[in-house]
Amino acid sequence: MKRDRLFGSIEAGGTKFTCAVGEDPFRMVAQKTFPTTTPSETLGRVIEFFHSVEEEFGKIEAFGICSFGPVDLRHGSPTYGCITSTPKKGWEQTPIVQNLEAEFRVPIGFDTDVNGAALGERRWGAGQGKDTILYITVGTGIGGGALVNGQPIHGLVHPEMGHVRIPHDHAKDPFPGSCPYHGDCLEGLASGAALNARWGKPASALESGHPAWDLVAEYLGFGIVNYILTLSPEVVILGGGVMKASHLFNRIRRKVTTLLNQYVKSPMVEEKIETYIVPPALGDWAGIAGGFELALRACTEGSNLHR
Ligand code: ZN
């Protein structure tokens, strides 16, 4: 009987690390989640987990890591594969790829959590058959990943779409914003952390009729319209904890339609916006799926560290 290929996928988050092994996200042989504590403790557990899976199922061919950040994605940079200037205490300059590569000596793909989710959704989810994809996560923070011609955008560092400036009517919403860098950037106004600071409770505790939601939809609408006009994505996927409030989707779709004001001539926007701005088809597994896709790509392209 043909043995399945084995890949390792890691979704590295500020609160938890999710690890999985299998041929793809639908054929996993093992998965485990660890709380994000110190880098040495967390990465130690991750490495131990993959070793134990290898003992049972055989050698893992390649790994893919989708990480919180900011991260260094520049090939040839001495800090490639590191989490860099993160506000997450203790994790600055953590060489996450190097740690894994020293241990397993196989190709490792590495990208941001949101680029990873976009890759996962393109291969197995809501982005199938599309090459220009936008994935936005609205959780504690706001981040955006984008694929153009099927490839994640990196650039100078990597996009930080959550920190764009948007119109903010101080008379309607006097909240100064919660971003430590910019105050009332998009993340400072519409993230889970902003909602908590603004209304004194988490998004999950705000009832659907709460005035918070119209404001959030307005802010996210502004951001998304800017991304649509800049990138012209074929699909806009919105994930993350705040987007679990499913009523937010129609509010955002209405806002985007109003703001675009029939300027973008595409049936996707004008007639089928409910299939254009969508939740991730893979739900909370988009990032892990992205790890599998990165591992597959690393197999073809070779280890990122040595390119
Ligand atoms: Zn900001």
Side-chain angles (χ1 to χ4, degrees), residues 239-287:
V242 173
M243 294 309 303
K244 301 264 176 178
S246 55
H247 57 84
L248 203 43
F249 278 89
N250 271 338
R251 293 177 203 253
I252 291 170
R253 289 172 186 136
R254 279 197 297 271
K255 186 71 194 172
V256 167
T257 305
T258 306
L259 287 169
L260 285 174
N261 199 22
Q262 300 175 318
Y263 185 72
V264 173
K265 292 292 170 205
S266 162
M268 288 307 292
V269 178
E270 293 183 303
E271 295 155 29
K272 295 188 267 190
I273 197 152
E274 70 285 351
T275 62
Y276 182 61
I277 297 176
V278 294
L282 302 170
D284 293 336
W285 287 92

mmCIF file of all heavy atoms in Angstrom, residues 239-287:
data_model
loop_
_atom_site.group_PDB
_atom_site.id
_atom_site.type_symbol
_atom_site.label_atom_id
_atom_site.label_comp_id
_atom_site.label_asym_id
_atom_site.label_seq_id
_atom_site.Cartn_x
_atom_site.Cartn_y
_atom_site.Cartn_z
ATOM 1 N N GLY A 239 -11.546 36.510 8.058
ATOM 2 C CA GLY A 239 -11.536 35.556 9.162
ATOM 3 C C GLY A 239 -11.189 36.243 10.471
ATOM 4 O O GLY A 239 -11.131 37.473 10.545
ATOM 5 N N GLY A 240 -10.954 35.435 11.499
ATOM 6 C CA GLY A 240 -10.582 35.979 12.809
ATOM 7 C C GLY A 240 -11.766 36.039 13.751
ATOM 8 O O GLY A 240 -12.930 35.958 13.333
ATOM 9 N N GLY A 241 -11.459 36.185 15.035
ATOM 10 C CA GLY A 241 -12.471 36.095 16.092
ATOM 11 C C GLY A 241 -13.615 37.074 15.954
ATOM 12 O O GLY A 241 -14.785 36.708 16.160
ATOM 13 N N VAL A 242 -13.328 38.333 15.583
ATOM 14 C CA VAL A 242 -14.401 39.331 15.497
ATOM 15 C C VAL A 242 -15.388 38.954 14.386
ATOM 16 O O VAL A 242 -16.606 39.172 14.515
ATOM 17 C CB VAL A 242 -13.810 40.750 15.274
ATOM 18 C CG1 VAL A 242 -14.906 41.784 15.018
ATOM 19 C CG2 VAL A 242 -12.963 41.176 16.480
ATOM 20 N N MET A 243 -14.881 38.336 13.314
ATOM 21 C CA MET A 243 -15.747 37.974 12.179
ATOM 22 C C MET A 243 -16.632 36.757 12.477
ATOM 23 O O MET A 243 -17.445 36.362 11.644
ATOM 24 C CB MET A 243 -14.915 37.718 10.923
ATOM 25 C CG MET A 243 -14.206 38.939 10.377
ATOM 26 S SD MET A 243 -15.251 40.410 10.143
ATOM 27 C CE MET A 243 -16.529 39.775 9.056
ATOM 28 N N LYS A 244 -16.477 36.175 13.675
ATOM 29 C CA LYS A 244 -17.403 35.092 14.070
ATOM 30 C C LYS A 244 -18.817 35.651 14.229
ATOM 31 O O LYS A 244 -19.789 34.907 14.223
ATOM 32 C CB LYS A 244 -16.971 34.461 15.402
ATOM 33 C CG LYS A 244 -15.585 33.877 15.373
ATOM 34 C CD LYS A 244 -15.603 32.403 15.098
ATOM 35 C CE LYS A 244 -14.180 31.954 15.003
ATOM 36 N NZ LYS A 244 -13.836 30.665 14.798
ATOM 37 N N ALA A 245 -18.920 36.979 14.403
ATOM 38 C CA ALA A 245 -20.238 37.621 14.422
ATOM 39 C C ALA A 245 -20.706 37.682 12.968
ATOM 40 O O ALA A 245 -20.384 38.609 12.229
ATOM 41 C CB ALA A 245 -20.124 39.023 15.018
ATOM 42 N N SER A 246 -21.468 36.654 12.546
ATOM 43 C CA SER A 246 -21.726 36.481 11.110
ATOM 44 C C SER A 246 -22.574 37.619 10.535
ATOM 45 O O SER A 246 -22.534 37.886 9.337
ATOM 46 C CB SER A 246 -22.376 35.124 10.851
ATOM 47 O OG SER A 246 -23.527 35.002 11.640
ATOM 48 N N HIS A 247 -23.338 38.317 11.401
ATOM 49 C CA HIS A 247 -24.147 39.447 10.898
ATOM 50 C C HIS A 247 -23.271 40.567 10.348
ATOM 51 O O HIS A 247 -23.731 41.438 9.612
ATOM 52 C CB HIS A 247 -25.057 39.988 12.003
ATOM 53 C CG HIS A 247 -24.309 40.417 13.234
ATOM 54 N ND1 HIS A 247 -23.732 41.669 13.328
ATOM 55 C CD2 HIS A 247 -24.003 39.776 14.389
ATOM 56 C CE1 HIS A 247 -23.122 41.779 14.491
ATOM 57 N NE2 HIS A 247 -23.263 40.630 15.163
ATOM 58 N N LEU A 248 -21.984 40.537 10.722
ATOM 59 C CA LEU A 248 -21.064 41.577 10.277
ATOM 60 C C LEU A 248 -20.828 41.516 8.753
ATOM 61 O O LEU A 248 -20.574 42.538 8.107
ATOM 62 C CB LEU A 248 -19.747 41.399 11.040
ATOM 63 C CG LEU A 248 -18.781 42.570 11.207
ATOM 64 C CD1 LEU A 248 -19.485 43.863 11.552
ATOM 65 C CD2 LEU A 248 -17.753 42.223 12.290
ATOM 66 N N PHE A 249 -20.933 40.322 8.192
ATOM 67 C CA PHE A 249 -20.649 40.181 6.758
ATOM 68 C C PHE A 249 -21.583 41.042 5.900
ATOM 69 O O PHE A 249 -21.126 41.785 5.032
ATOM 70 C CB PHE A 249 -20.719 38.707 6.329
ATOM 71 C CG PHE A 249 -19.441 37.983 6.635
ATOM 72 C CD1 PHE A 249 -19.256 37.357 7.862
ATOM 73 C CD2 PHE A 249 -18.411 37.950 5.712
ATOM 74 C CE1 PHE A 249 -18.064 36.717 8.166
ATOM 75 C CE2 PHE A 249 -17.205 37.309 5.999
ATOM 76 C CZ PHE A 249 -17.041 36.686 7.232
ATOM 77 N N ASN A 250 -22.905 40.943 6.154
ATOM 78 C CA ASN A 250 -23.821 41.730 5.328
ATOM 79 C C ASN A 250 -23.667 43.221 5.558
ATOM 80 O O ASN A 250 -23.793 44.023 4.638
ATOM 81 C CB ASN A 250 -25.266 41.284 5.549
ATOM 82 C CG ASN A 250 -25.624 40.158 4.591
ATOM 83 O OD1 ASN A 250 -24.971 39.999 3.543
ATOM 84 N ND2 ASN A 250 -26.628 39.371 4.950
ATOM 85 N N ARG A 251 -23.369 43.593 6.805
ATOM 86 C CA ARG A 251 -23.139 45.023 7.075
ATOM 87 C C ARG A 251 -21.937 45.520 6.275
ATOM 88 O O ARG A 251 -21.969 46.611 5.713
ATOM 89 C CB ARG A 251 -22.852 45.238 8.555
ATOM 90 C CG ARG A 251 -24.022 44.969 9.490
ATOM 91 C CD ARG A 251 -23.513 45.158 10.919
ATOM 92 N NE ARG A 251 -24.320 44.453 11.893
ATOM 93 C CZ ARG A 251 -25.162 45.040 12.732
ATOM 94 N NH1 ARG A 251 -25.307 46.343 12.724
ATOM 95 N NH2 ARG A 251 -25.859 44.335 13.591
ATOM 96 N N ILE A 252 -20.879 44.716 6.255
ATOM 97 C CA ILE A 252 -19.662 45.113 5.527
ATOM 98 C C ILE A 252 -19.932 45.142 4.014
ATOM 99 O O ILE A 252 -19.530 46.069 3.318
ATOM 100 C CB ILE A 252 -18.493 44.161 5.867
ATOM 101 C CG1 ILE A 252 -18.060 44.368 7.313
ATOM 102 C CG2 ILE A 252 -17.312 44.369 4.918
ATOM 103 C CD1 ILE A 252 -17.071 43.328 7.833
ATOM 104 N N ARG A 253 -20.633 44.112 3.520
ATOM 105 C CA ARG A 253 -20.945 44.071 2.080
ATOM 106 C C ARG A 253 -21.726 45.319 1.658
ATOM 107 O O ARG A 253 -21.440 45.923 0.621
ATOM 108 C CB ARG A 253 -21.761 42.813 1.763
ATOM 109 C CG ARG A 253 -20.946 41.531 1.843
ATOM 110 C CD ARG A 253 -21.869 40.306 1.708
ATOM 111 N NE ARG A 253 -21.134 39.068 1.916
ATOM 112 C CZ ARG A 253 -21.574 38.046 2.646
ATOM 113 N NH1 ARG A 253 -22.766 38.114 3.253
ATOM 114 N NH2 ARG A 253 -20.854 36.956 2.780
ATOM 115 N N ARG A 254 -22.695 45.716 2.490
ATOM 116 C CA ARG A 254 -23.496 46.911 2.160
ATOM 117 C C ARG A 254 -22.619 48.160 2.150
ATOM 118 O O ARG A 254 -22.709 49.000 1.267
ATOM 119 C CB ARG A 254 -24.637 47.085 3.176
ATOM 120 C CG ARG A 254 -25.846 46.191 2.896
ATOM 121 C CD ARG A 254 -27.074 46.676 3.650
ATOM 122 N NE ARG A 254 -26.902 46.620 5.101
ATOM 123 C CZ ARG A 254 -27.202 45.566 5.855
ATOM 124 N NH1 ARG A 254 -27.702 44.483 5.302
ATOM 125 N NH2 ARG A 254 -27.016 45.600 7.161
ATOM 126 N N LYS A 255 -21.744 48.240 3.154
ATOM 127 C CA LYS A 255 -20.872 49.410 3.250
ATOM 128 C C LYS A 255 -19.926 49.490 2.049
ATOM 129 O O LYS A 255 -19.739 50.566 1.464
ATOM 130 C CB LYS A 255 -20.066 49.324 4.563
ATOM 131 C CG LYS A 255 -19.232 50.534 4.867
ATOM 132 C CD LYS A 255 -20.097 51.733 5.251
ATOM 133 C CE LYS A 255 -19.293 53.017 5.210
ATOM 134 N NZ LYS A 255 -20.134 54.208 5.385
ATOM 135 N N VAL A 256 -19.353 48.352 1.684
ATOM 136 C CA VAL A 256 -18.423 48.314 0.547
ATOM 137 C C VAL A 256 -19.152 48.707 -0.745
ATOM 138 O O VAL A 256 -18.654 49.506 -1.541
ATOM 139 C CB VAL A 256 -17.774 46.912 0.425
ATOM 140 C CG1 VAL A 256 -17.062 46.726 -0.904
ATOM 141 C CG2 VAL A 256 -16.806 46.686 1.585
ATOM 142 N N THR A 257 -20.366 48.173 -0.931
ATOM 143 C CA THR A 257 -21.146 48.499 -2.127
ATOM 144 C C THR A 257 -21.413 50.002 -2.189
ATOM 145 O O THR A 257 -21.246 50.640 -3.239
ATOM 146 C CB THR A 257 -22.494 47.738 -2.100
ATOM 147 O OG1 THR A 257 -22.198 46.354 -1.949
ATOM 148 C CG2 THR A 257 -23.283 47.943 -3.376
ATOM 149 N N THR A 258 -21.814 50.574 -1.059
ATOM 150 C CA THR A 258 -22.109 52.011 -1.017
ATOM 151 C C THR A 258 -20.858 52.829 -1.322
ATOM 152 O O THR A 258 -20.894 53.778 -2.106
ATOM 153 C CB THR A 258 -22.624 52.396 0.391
ATOM 154 O OG1 THR A 258 -23.714 51.544 0.696
ATOM 155 C CG2 THR A 258 -23.085 53.841 0.454
ATOM 156 N N LEU A 259 -19.751 52.456 -0.690
ATOM 157 C CA LEU A 259 -18.522 53.242 -0.864
ATOM 158 C C LEU A 259 -17.977 53.144 -2.287
ATOM 159 O O LEU A 259 -17.474 54.121 -2.837
ATOM 160 C CB LEU A 259 -17.450 52.779 0.135
ATOM 161 C CG LEU A 259 -17.674 53.179 1.603
ATOM 162 C CD1 LEU A 259 -16.690 52.438 2.506
ATOM 163 C CD2 LEU A 259 -17.509 54.684 1.790
ATOM 164 N N LEU A 260 -18.070 51.962 -2.894
ATOM 165 C CA LEU A 260 -17.559 51.815 -4.264
ATOM 166 C C LEU A 260 -18.433 52.588 -5.251
ATOM 167 O O LEU A 260 -17.958 53.042 -6.289
ATOM 168 C CB LEU A 260 -17.462 50.341 -4.660
ATOM 169 C CG LEU A 260 -16.300 49.573 -4.025
ATOM 170 C CD1 LEU A 260 -16.398 48.088 -4.364
ATOM 171 C CD2 LEU A 260 -14.947 50.111 -4.479
ATOM 172 N N ASN A 261 -19.715 52.700 -4.912
ATOM 173 C CA ASN A 261 -20.637 53.539 -5.693
ATOM 174 C C ASN A 261 -20.604 53.216 -7.192
ATOM 175 O O ASN A 261 -20.509 54.121 -8.017
ATOM 176 C CB ASN A 261 -20.306 55.027 -5.422
ATOM 177 C CG ASN A 261 -21.469 55.938 -5.794
ATOM 178 O OD1 ASN A 261 -22.615 55.482 -5.856
ATOM 179 N ND2 ASN A 261 -21.169 57.201 -6.058
ATOM 180 N N GLN A 262 -20.655 51.931 -7.490
ATOM 181 C CA GLN A 262 -20.732 51.416 -8.870
ATOM 182 C C GLN A 262 -19.499 51.746 -9.720
ATOM 183 O O GLN A 262 -19.555 51.719 -10.942
ATOM 184 C CB GLN A 262 -21.992 51.954 -9.571
ATOM 185 C CG GLN A 262 -23.243 51.544 -8.840
ATOM 186 C CD GLN A 262 -24.498 52.153 -9.442
ATOM 187 O OE1 GLN A 262 -24.521 53.324 -9.804
ATOM 188 N NE2 GLN A 262 -25.526 51.361 -9.538
ATOM 189 N N TYR A 263 -18.402 52.050 -9.069
ATOM 190 C CA TYR A 263 -17.193 52.411 -9.823
ATOM 191 C C TYR A 263 -16.468 51.181 -10.344
ATOM 192 O O TYR A 263 -15.951 51.188 -11.457
ATOM 193 C CB TYR A 263 -16.263 53.241 -8.935
ATOM 194 C CG TYR A 263 -15.054 53.739 -9.689
ATOM 195 C CD1 TYR A 263 -15.167 54.744 -10.643
ATOM 196 C CD2 TYR A 263 -13.797 53.187 -9.470
ATOM 197 C CE1 TYR A 263 -14.069 55.194 -11.352
ATOM 198 C CE2 TYR A 263 -12.687 53.634 -10.171
ATOM 199 C CZ TYR A 263 -12.827 54.637 -11.110
ATOM 200 O OH TYR A 263 -11.740 55.067 -11.811
ATOM 201 N N VAL A 264 -16.406 50.121 -9.530
ATOM 202 C CA VAL A 264 -15.733 48.889 -9.962
ATOM 203 C C VAL A 264 -16.730 48.056 -10.756
ATOM 204 O O VAL A 264 -17.706 47.552 -10.202
ATOM 205 C CB VAL A 264 -15.174 48.112 -8.751
ATOM 206 C CG1 VAL A 264 -14.622 46.760 -9.168
ATOM 207 C CG2 VAL A 264 -14.089 48.928 -8.044
ATOM 208 N N LYS A 265 -16.472 47.931 -12.051
ATOM 209 C CA LYS A 265 -17.431 47.270 -12.931
ATOM 210 C C LYS A 265 -17.153 45.781 -12.989
ATOM 211 O O LYS A 265 -16.357 45.307 -13.800
ATOM 212 C CB LYS A 265 -17.360 47.865 -14.345
ATOM 213 C CG LYS A 265 -17.866 49.300 -14.414
ATOM 214 C CD LYS A 265 -19.369 49.375 -14.157
ATOM 215 C CE LYS A 265 -19.825 50.821 -13.985
ATOM 216 N NZ LYS A 265 -21.063 50.914 -13.193
ATOM 217 N N SER A 266 -17.728 45.065 -12.081
ATOM 218 C CA SER A 266 -17.603 43.611 -12.087
ATOM 219 C C SER A 266 -18.855 43.034 -11.453
ATOM 220 O O SER A 266 -19.313 43.523 -10.421
ATOM 221 C CB SER A 266 -16.381 43.179 -11.285
ATOM 222 O OG SER A 266 -16.499 41.809 -10.959
ATOM 223 N N PRO A 267 -19.400 41.973 -12.069
ATOM 224 C CA PRO A 267 -20.574 41.345 -11.456
ATOM 225 C C PRO A 267 -20.289 40.835 -10.039
ATOM 226 O O PRO A 267 -21.195 40.736 -9.219
ATOM 227 C CB PRO A 267 -20.930 40.200 -12.414
ATOM 228 C CG PRO A 267 -19.785 40.080 -13.367
ATOM 229 C CD PRO A 267 -19.029 41.363 -13.343
ATOM 230 N N MET A 268 -19.016 40.521 -9.757
ATOM 231 C CA MET A 268 -18.679 40.025 -8.418
ATOM 232 C C MET A 268 -19.018 41.082 -7.355
ATOM 233 O O MET A 268 -19.431 40.765 -6.255
ATOM 234 C CB MET A 268 -17.180 39.693 -8.316
ATOM 235 C CG MET A 268 -16.767 38.453 -9.068
ATOM 236 S SD MET A 268 -17.735 37.009 -8.641
ATOM 237 C CE MET A 268 -17.204 36.716 -6.955
ATOM 238 N N VAL A 269 -18.794 42.335 -7.714
ATOM 239 C CA VAL A 269 -19.055 43.414 -6.770
ATOM 240 C C VAL A 269 -20.490 43.911 -6.914
ATOM 241 O O VAL A 269 -21.178 44.179 -5.930
ATOM 242 C CB VAL A 269 -18.056 44.577 -7.005
ATOM 243 C CG1 VAL A 269 -18.349 45.734 -6.073
ATOM 244 C CG2 VAL A 269 -16.621 44.087 -6.813
ATOM 245 N N GLU A 270 -20.970 44.003 -8.150
ATOM 246 C CA GLU A 270 -22.278 44.626 -8.388
ATOM 247 C C GLU A 270 -23.459 43.684 -8.157
ATOM 248 O O GLU A 270 -24.540 44.126 -7.808
ATOM 249 C CB GLU A 270 -22.315 45.187 -9.815
ATOM 250 C CG GLU A 270 -21.330 46.353 -9.980
ATOM 251 C CD GLU A 270 -21.375 46.984 -11.361
ATOM 252 O OE1 GLU A 270 -21.168 46.246 -12.356
ATOM 253 O OE2 GLU A 270 -21.611 48.195 -11.449
ATOM 254 N N GLU A 271 -23.234 42.378 -8.398
ATOM 255 C CA GLU A 271 -24.377 41.462 -8.299
ATOM 256 C C GLU A 271 -24.163 40.319 -7.303
ATOM 257 O O GLU A 271 -25.110 39.777 -6.765
ATOM 258 C CB GLU A 271 -24.664 40.820 -9.678
ATOM 259 C CG GLU A 271 -25.123 41.818 -10.723
ATOM 260 C CD GLU A 271 -24.816 41.314 -12.138
ATOM 261 O OE1 GLU A 271 -24.782 40.082 -12.344
ATOM 262 O OE2 GLU A 271 -24.572 42.172 -13.015
ATOM 263 N N LYS A 272 -22.882 39.952 -7.110
ATOM 264 C CA LYS A 272 -22.654 38.735 -6.320
ATOM 265 C C LYS A 272 -21.748 38.998 -5.126
ATOM 266 O O LYS A 272 -20.874 38.201 -4.816
ATOM 267 C CB LYS A 272 -22.022 37.663 -7.229
ATOM 268 C CG LYS A 272 -22.947 37.201 -8.344
ATOM 269 C CD LYS A 272 -22.369 36.027 -9.081
ATOM 270 C CE LYS A 272 -21.571 36.485 -10.279
ATOM 271 N NZ LYS A 272 -21.161 35.407 -11.175
ATOM 272 N N ILE A 273 -21.956 40.128 -4.487
ATOM 273 C CA ILE A 273 -21.032 40.509 -3.424
ATOM 274 C C ILE A 273 -21.042 39.490 -2.273
ATOM 275 O O ILE A 273 -20.053 39.339 -1.560
ATOM 276 C CB ILE A 273 -21.279 41.953 -2.942
ATOM 277 C CG1 ILE A 273 -20.054 42.429 -2.156
ATOM 278 C CG2 ILE A 273 -22.573 42.067 -2.134
ATOM 279 C CD1 ILE A 273 -19.794 43.892 -2.167
ATOM 280 N N GLU A 274 -22.161 38.739 -2.152
ATOM 281 C CA GLU A 274 -22.200 37.718 -1.080
ATOM 282 C C GLU A 274 -21.255 36.557 -1.385
ATOM 283 O O GLU A 274 -20.911 35.795 -0.473
ATOM 284 C CB GLU A 274 -23.640 37.250 -0.803
ATOM 285 C CG GLU A 274 -24.291 36.407 -1.875
ATOM 286 C CD GLU A 274 -24.737 37.208 -3.105
ATOM 287 O OE1 GLU A 274 -24.696 38.458 -3.081
ATOM 288 O OE2 GLU A 274 -25.112 36.579 -4.100
ATOM 289 N N THR A 275 -20.814 36.438 -2.636
ATOM 290 C CA THR A 275 -19.808 35.419 -2.940
ATOM 291 C C THR A 275 -18.424 36.055 -3.140
ATOM 292 O O THR A 275 -17.456 35.370 -3.473
ATOM 293 C CB THR A 275 -20.159 34.614 -4.216
ATOM 294 O OG1 THR A 275 -20.183 35.518 -5.331
ATOM 295 C CG2 THR A 275 -21.505 33.934 -4.103
ATOM 296 N N TYR A 276 -18.353 37.375 -2.967
ATOM 297 C CA TYR A 276 -17.090 38.100 -3.155
ATOM 298 C C TYR A 276 -16.423 38.402 -1.808
ATOM 299 O O TYR A 276 -15.214 38.276 -1.650
ATOM 300 C CB TYR A 276 -17.364 39.396 -3.924
ATOM 301 C CG TYR A 276 -16.117 40.199 -4.215
ATOM 302 C CD1 TYR A 276 -15.091 39.661 -4.999
ATOM 303 C CD2 TYR A 276 -15.953 41.487 -3.703
ATOM 304 C CE1 TYR A 276 -13.942 40.391 -5.258
ATOM 305 C CE2 TYR A 276 -14.809 42.223 -3.964
ATOM 306 C CZ TYR A 276 -13.806 41.671 -4.744
ATOM 307 O OH TYR A 276 -12.660 42.380 -4.992
ATOM 308 N N ILE A 277 -17.223 38.804 -0.843
ATOM 309 C CA ILE A 277 -16.708 39.036 0.521
ATOM 310 C C ILE A 277 -17.249 37.899 1.380
ATOM 311 O O ILE A 277 -18.454 37.832 1.652
ATOM 312 C CB ILE A 277 -17.151 40.416 1.052
ATOM 313 C CG1 ILE A 277 -16.551 41.512 0.173
ATOM 314 C CG2 ILE A 277 -16.741 40.597 2.510
ATOM 315 C CD1 ILE A 277 -16.998 42.924 0.525
ATOM 316 N N VAL A 278 -16.365 36.985 1.746
ATOM 317 C CA VAL A 278 -16.830 35.712 2.314
ATOM 318 C C VAL A 278 -16.002 35.300 3.541
ATOM 319 O O VAL A 278 -14.869 35.751 3.709
ATOM 320 C CB VAL A 278 -16.735 34.564 1.263
ATOM 321 C CG1 VAL A 278 -17.695 34.805 0.113
ATOM 322 C CG2 VAL A 278 -15.301 34.405 0.760
ATOM 323 N N PRO A 279 -16.566 34.431 4.370
ATOM 324 C CA PRO A 279 -15.756 33.848 5.458
ATOM 325 C C PRO A 279 -14.810 32.796 4.887
ATOM 326 O O PRO A 279 -15.024 32.312 3.771
ATOM 327 C CB PRO A 279 -16.799 33.204 6.385
ATOM 328 C CG PRO A 279 -18.021 33.026 5.565
ATOM 329 C CD PRO A 279 -17.968 33.980 4.407
ATOM 330 N N PRO A 280 -13.764 32.430 5.635
ATOM 331 C CA PRO A 280 -12.873 31.371 5.156
ATOM 332 C C PRO A 280 -13.631 30.043 5.079
ATOM 333 O O PRO A 280 -14.305 29.672 6.025
ATOM 334 C CB PRO A 280 -11.765 31.307 6.216
ATOM 335 C CG PRO A 280 -12.247 32.099 7.381
ATOM 336 C CD PRO A 280 -13.361 32.980 6.936
ATOM 337 N N ALA A 281 -13.519 29.337 3.938
ATOM 338 C CA ALA A 281 -14.195 28.046 3.809
ATOM 339 C C ALA A 281 -13.594 27.029 4.769
ATOM 340 O O ALA A 281 -14.250 26.080 5.178
ATOM 341 C CB ALA A 281 -14.087 27.538 2.368
ATOM 342 N N LEU A 282 -12.329 27.237 5.139
ATOM 343 C CA LEU A 282 -11.657 26.297 6.043
ATOM 344 C C LEU A 282 -11.815 26.706 7.508
ATOM 345 O O LEU A 282 -11.270 26.053 8.388
ATOM 346 C CB LEU A 282 -10.165 26.217 5.696
ATOM 347 C CG LEU A 282 -9.849 25.788 4.265
ATOM 348 C CD1 LEU A 282 -8.373 25.970 3.961
ATOM 349 C CD2 LEU A 282 -10.244 24.329 4.042
ATOM 350 N N GLY A 283 -12.546 27.776 7.758
ATOM 351 C CA GLY A 283 -12.766 28.226 9.134
ATOM 352 C C GLY A 283 -11.453 28.492 9.838
ATOM 353 O O GLY A 283 -10.550 29.121 9.285
ATOM 354 N N ASP A 284 -11.330 27.970 11.048
ATOM 355 C CA ASP A 284 -10.126 28.207 11.851
ATOM 356 C C ASP A 284 -8.921 27.412 11.341
ATOM 357 O O ASP A 284 -7.827 27.532 11.885
ATOM 358 C CB ASP A 284 -10.391 27.827 13.314
ATOM 359 C CG ASP A 284 -11.404 28.775 13.948
ATOM 360 O OD1 ASP A 284 -11.532 29.919 13.446
ATOM 361 O OD2 ASP A 284 -12.060 28.376 14.928
ATOM 362 N N TRP A 285 -9.122 26.589 10.313
ATOM 363 C CA TRP A 285 -8.025 25.751 9.821
ATOM 364 C C TRP A 285 -7.285 26.349 8.631
ATOM 365 O O TRP A 285 -6.382 25.724 8.062
ATOM 366 C CB TRP A 285 -8.541 24.342 9.486
ATOM 367 C CG TRP A 285 -8.830 23.591 10.732
ATOM 368 C CD1 TRP A 285 -10.027 23.528 11.398
ATOM 369 C CD2 TRP A 285 -7.898 22.854 11.533
ATOM 370 N NE1 TRP A 285 -9.890 22.786 12.551
ATOM 371 C CE2 TRP A 285 -8.591 22.364 12.652
ATOM 372 C CE3 TRP A 285 -6.536 22.559 11.402
ATOM 373 C CZ2 TRP A 285 -7.975 21.595 13.641
ATOM 374 C CZ3 TRP A 285 -5.924 21.794 12.394
ATOM 375 C CH2 TRP A 285 -6.638 21.330 13.495
ATOM 376 N N ALA A 286 -7.654 27.574 8.253
ATOM 377 C CA ALA A 286 -7.010 28.184 7.074
ATOM 378 C C ALA A 286 -5.496 28.282 7.276
ATOM 379 O O ALA A 286 -4.718 28.001 6.356
ATOM 380 C CB ALA A 286 -7.613 29.560 6.808
ATOM 381 N N GLY A 287 -5.064 28.675 8.473
ATOM 382 C CA GLY A 287 -3.635 28.835 8.744
ATOM 383 C C GLY A 287 -2.895 27.511 8.687
ATOM 384 O O GLY A 287 -1.812 27.410 8.093
#
